[in-house]
Amino acid sequence: MTTPPVEILLVEDNPADVMLTREAFEDAHFPHHLHHARDGVDALSFLRREGPHVAAPRPDVVLLDLNMPRMTGLELLDILKLDSELRSIPVIVLTTSRAESDIWRSYNLHANAYIPKPVSIAEFEDVIQTLGNFWFRKVALPHRPD
């Protein structure tokens, strides 16, 4: 039996971090589709299947940066966890912020994990590998039929 690919929505405004994340997931060698939203507004459109995202799949997990234009990660997290259709999607905060207030607020808004982005590429790849092993190989994720 073949495992279906994990649908991942990366919400990230930094093109270099998007590229690094894509490469790290490719190196992690597990079946996945990595989708990208450039900010919270774009992510909400993707998640609600609006506008250009009308055919978007429901993500199995959201990787969320906090510091973005138009709608921050914390604002998006707050909206997602209040939405009865979207709140069951696990949200992993992956951000440069190590501020205790951001960590506290993320968990208070029901983030499933908070991971500060490592500085080196090797450490970042290790984080993605570990994240993949845990979230996509060990954890039972909620799947809703579309």
Side-chain angles (χ1 to χ4, degrees):
M1 181 171 125
T2 306
T3 304
V6 177
E7 299 290 342
I8 305 163
L9 176 59
L10 172 64
V11 186
E12 172 65 64
D13 66 319
N14 183 323
D17 284 351
V18 172
M19 186 178 69
L20 181 61
T21 304
R22 283 191 191 284
E23 290 173 5
F25 271 108
E26 289 303 319
D27 291 345
H29 302 296
F30 60 85
H32 70 281
H33 294 134
L34 185 63
H35 308 276
H36 173 243
R38 65 187 176 280
D39 58 37
V41 173
D42 190 35
L44 201 54
S45 175
F46 184 97
L47 291 160
R48 290 182 172 163
R49 298 176 178 155
E50 298 171 342
H53 304 292
V54 72
R58 178 182 171 88
D60 296 304
V61 68
V62 173
L63 298 179
L64 180 62
D65 186 29
L66 293 185
N67 304 311
M68 295 179 294
R70 298 198 308 162
M71 180 189 293
T72 70
L74 290 172
E75 291 169 327
L76 177 62
L77 183 58
D78 191 28
I79 291 168
L80 295 182
K81 295 305 179 175
L82 291 173
D83 186 308
S84 62
E85 294 294 315
L86 302 174
R87 75 171 129 227
S88 65
I89 300 171
V91 177
I92 301 166
V93 175
L94 183 61
T95 187
T96 56
S97 174
R98 296 179 188 286
E100 192 63 36
S101 61
D102 285 340
I103 296 168
W104 184 88
R105 180 115 193 267
S106 294
Y107 283 119
N108 192 49
L109 292 172
H110 305 287
N112 297 86
Y114 190 102
I115 304 171
K117 287 180 187 172
V119 177
S120 79
I121 292 173
E123 288 175 325
F124 188 82
E125 289 175 346
D126 182 58
V127 162
I128 297 300
Q129 182 71 43
T130 302
L131 187 143
N133 284 334
F134 179 73
W135 282 99
F136 311 133
R137 291 192 172 116
K138 307 288 184 212
V139 171
L141 294 169
H143 298 285
R144 283 186 91 172
D146 287 326

